[in-house]
Amino acid sequence: MTTSNTSTSTTPITPQPSGRRTTAPDPGRGNGRSDSTAADALLWIELLLRQFPELLVELAPSYRSPSALRATPAGSGPAPAGPTRAEREEALRAEQAHGLTPSGSRTSPVRLHISDAVRDITDGVIELDEAVHDRLRMPRPRREQVSGRLLRVAGLLDRAADDVLLEHIRDEARRMARRCTRALGGAEPVVRVGGRCPWCDSVSLRAFPARRAVLCVNPACRCTDPACDCRTDPAHRHAWSEGAWARLAAESGGDLAELTGATADTARREGGR
């Protein structure tokens, strides 16, 4: 199995217009679970802030390849340059708001899976921003770009003392960051865990945090469960969900604590790849 090994630099959230920097709540105060959830939510928001602009660049089609050099007749002057990044993003905003598309020939069409991801994430951020303000009994938030809304939500984490609200912010930020990563072609994170597969006895157990599951990646592995598709589908892999991890640890000779830690779907692991 081939996994992506591209690392992403950690970029802190920029200060708010008021001059106040958004940081994770102090782990030393308040409920420990709330602080941990808020810190993880902040990391997912930071990851989404870094990746969403890349998604917009991927969506805006280029008018010609930068590497394709055109022959310019003598005396005709330099060839006109293609649109700048700012012009492409402006054209994208006009298309989203009014259905307008820029004139002129294009060499690459808009990719629908990128367009769908941009729309889904944009709508999700708006809904999250409005839901947080409503839950905190604050006035309806003013209109803002995706990055501005994410920064605003991050700035309210220290006021969201409700565990349910913090978990909702974390889960939504994680869902949108994952959607963004997939649209950009990022690979699903995989973590190797100790022990041997109870079915094929190979050291091929891998944790997939995004699925909250442990799989045997040995292509030749077949289990005896008649309900498992690994018996009939060569592309299917036997999987253990969370409820089966204790039994898996016992049968594989692995460590349940290691299994649980390896399947933790955290932004720190995702951003560090």
Side-chain angles (χ1 to χ4, degrees), residues 17-180:
S18 61
R20 174 176 170 269
R21 174 176 287 274
T22 300
T23 57
D26 182 1
R29 65 175 174 82
N31 181 275
R33 177 184 174 188
S34 297
D35 290 338
S36 175
T37 305
D40 205 32
L42 185 64
L43 289 174
W44 283 114
I45 291 173
E46 287 183 343
L47 181 61
L48 187 55
L49 277 168
R50 291 199 303 272
Q51 291 185 332
F52 189 72
E54 298 178 25
L55 203 61
L56 294 179
V57 173
E58 287 291 321
L59 178 61
S62 59
Y63 285 70
R64 64 183 179 88
S65 171
S67 60
L69 300 178
R70 295 181 179 180
T72 304
S76 62
T84 64
R85 174 175 174 176
E87 289 171 339
R88 293 199 304 270
E89 292 182 356
E90 181 63 30
L92 171 61
R93 286 192 290 270
E95 182 176 358
Q96 289 178 327
H98 309 292
L100 302 176
T101 55
S103 59
S105 61
R106 303 183 183 187
T107 58
S108 57
V110 173
R111 288 170 292 174
L112 292 180
H113 75 285
I114 297 289
S115 177
D116 290 344
V118 169
R119 188 178 300 277
D120 174 47
I121 293 171
T122 301
D123 292 344
V125 170
I126 292 173
E127 292 174 4
L128 179 62
D129 188 23
E130 293 179 347
V132 170
H133 279 72
D134 180 69
R135 188 64 177 262
L136 296 178
R137 301 183 183 279
M138 298 174 64
R140 185 183 180 90
R142 67 183 184 280
R143 291 187 177 184
E144 183 61 86
Q145 297 295 325
V146 167
S147 59
R149 288 182 182 271
L150 286 172
L151 289 170
R152 190 157 57 201
V153 171
L156 294 172
L157 286 175
D158 57 350
R159 298 181 57 179
D162 183 357
D163 284 345
V164 175
L165 177 58
L166 285 173
E167 289 173 2
H168 176 69
I169 296 172
R170 179 203 59 196
D171 293 347
E172 277 299 289
R174 177 171 58 196
R175 179 190 69 81
M176 291 184 287
R178 285 239 178 265
R179 179 76 189 268
C180 195

